[in-house]
């Protein structure tokens, strides 16, 4: 009860005071201590109600402290405090936020135990969480259960169902069918319905149908949101209809709809992939003047596009801008820069960026590992011609970092050091090549043998010269 010495409670505790103290405490556990301390003042006439219980549960859920939150539910039941539907739904949403759809279902089913009647709001909320978590089979089963329980279709529930069916190509036609059947259920499609369908169609590159739905929206009095415009712009970019995408972007601005980060990023990505980086860079400047800061995806699209157009100095400048803004480039983004320098045959610069990755402890993930292996091997081979020593250092670094060396890379290294006359390194590489399970071919063996043969001939010539010099010295005496 040490908390009593910390808080001087008035003779009469009000719920507003308790709520104020709980909200003011940043640490949820300390807030719970305050909550319990207030209850200890019951002798003075105070008792928690569903508002203070609900607030404390919300504080615990915000810190993902689910067990203490559910313990409070039990206390509410024991203290015969009314438990509202919103309290249960707050727990469901919290479990959805941490991607635990099974727990969402469990909490929903517990409502009966606590004499809390689930209204259509609860059913739709749980249904929506399941769809957002891509638990589509479970979500469809839950929707059928809703109907069995007598929950009538509504615009909200049908919108969630359409969203679920738009998730993949196999069910999007069913989404369209439900869309067309909505009036028969007494429901009129709204802007969200159209936006969901347009987004689904665009993702599946059914842009013509998406455009038809977009045009139909206007005739039905449904205003497209920035999300709908962005979806269609993205779809047009995927179809390489870049001029139409730009036209839609301008139309959107003329109608007073403010483009967001995703609108700009979608259009810039499309322009970069279409070889129109200059326009994308112009959009970047417009975007920043509108106080929208680019994110990692935006920078990545622009840098990739600039590298493909061999505008490497601009790509590097943009990479520096990105780092100055506090973004840490990943291995995939470095890979695009390094690949650009390799294509331009600028292997020294490519090696510098590989070094930067190592010093920055930037490692590829499972998806980019294969690309990273290819890039390292390409740079080593490229350096063999101009800087064999650096090539060898990078080769050693690859082995240290567990990056597999390709057979062609071994061949390039061996040939390079044989030509240089550094047979010690050549022999070492052959040995490591065999240890890696990569058997040298006939050409590689020939290169090594030729190197040793050439070295032997040089030694013999030196010995002959030495003998001739000794003979001449004796004769002169």
């Amino acid at each position: 009860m040490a908390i009593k010495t910390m808080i001087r409670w008035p003779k009469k505790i009000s719920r507003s005071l308790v709520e104020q103290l709980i909200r003011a405490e940043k640490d949820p556990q300390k807030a719970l201590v305050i909550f319990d301390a207030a209850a200890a003042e019951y002798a003075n006439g105070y008792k928690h109600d569903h508002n203070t219980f609900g607030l404390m549960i919300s504080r615990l859920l915000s810190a993902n402290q689910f067990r203490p939150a559910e313990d409070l539910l039990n206390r509410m039941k024991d203290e015969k405090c009314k438990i509202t539907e919103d309290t249960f739904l707050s727990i469901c949403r919290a479990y959805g936020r941490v991607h635990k759809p099974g727990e969402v279902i469990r909490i929903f089913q517990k409502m009966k135990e606590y004499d809390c009647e689930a209204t259509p709001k609860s059913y739709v909320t749980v249904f929506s969480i399941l769809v957002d978590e891509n638990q589509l089979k479970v979500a469809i089963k839950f929707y059928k259960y809703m109907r069995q329980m007598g929950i009538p279709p509504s615009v909200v529930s049908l919108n969630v169902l359409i969203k679920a069916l738009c998730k993949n190509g196999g069910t999007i036609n069913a989404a369209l069918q439900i869309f067309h059947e909505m009036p028969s259920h007494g429901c009129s499609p709204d802007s969200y319905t159209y936006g969901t369908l347009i987004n689904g169609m665009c993702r599946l590159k059914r842009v013509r149908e998406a455009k038809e739905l977009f045009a139909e929206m206007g005739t039905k009095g449904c205003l497209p949101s920035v999300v709908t415009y962005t979806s269609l712009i993205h779809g047009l970019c995927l179809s390489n209809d870049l001029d139409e995408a730009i036209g839609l972007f301008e139309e959107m601005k003329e109608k007073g709809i403010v483009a967001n980060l995703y609108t700009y990023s979608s259009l810039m990505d499309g322009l970069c992939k279409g070889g129109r980086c200059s326009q994308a860079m112009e959009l970047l400047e417009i975007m920043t003047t509108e106080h929208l800061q680019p994110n990692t995806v935006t920078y990545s699209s622009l840098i990739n596009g600039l590298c493909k157009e061999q505008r490497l100095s601009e790509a590097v400048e943009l990479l520096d801008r990105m780092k100055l803004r506090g973004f840490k480039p990943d291995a995939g983004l470095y890979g695009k820069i390094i690949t650009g320098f390799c294509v331009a045959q600028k292997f020294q610069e490519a090696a510098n960026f590989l070094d930067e990755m190592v010093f920055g402890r930037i490692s590829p993930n499972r998806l980019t590992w294969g690309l990273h292996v290819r890039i390292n091997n390409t740079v080593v081979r490229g350096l063999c011609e101009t800087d064999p020593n650096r090539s060898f250092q990078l080769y050693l670094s690859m082995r240290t970092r567990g990056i597999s060396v390709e057979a062609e890379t071994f061949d390039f290294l061996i040939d390079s050091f044989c030509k240089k006359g550094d047979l010690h390194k050549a022999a070492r590489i052959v040995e490591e090549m065999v240890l890696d399970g990569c058997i040298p071919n006939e050409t590689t063996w020939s290169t090594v043998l030729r190197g040793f043969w050439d070295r032997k001939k040089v030694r013999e010539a030196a010995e002959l010269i030495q003998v001739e010099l000794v003979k001449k010295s004796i004769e002169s005496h």
Side-chain angles (χ1 to χ4, degrees), residues 48 57 80 119 219 288 293-294 302 339 388 410-411 423 430 449:
H48 287 301
I57 288 171
K80 295 181 173 52
T119 69
T219 64
T288 51
Q293 295 303 326
L302 289 165
T339 300
F410 279 120
D411 292 340
L423 298 180
V430 170
L449 290 171

Side-chain angles (χ1 to χ4, degrees), residues 271-272 275-285 302 305-306 309 311 314:
L271 289 167
C272 286
R276 294 162 67 169
C277 276
S278 295
Q279 286 176 279
M281 292 296 286
E282 288 172 12
L283 280 175
L284 177 66
E285 298 309 317
L302 289 165
L306 290 168
E309 292 184 18
R311 295 163 64 174
E314 292 172 83

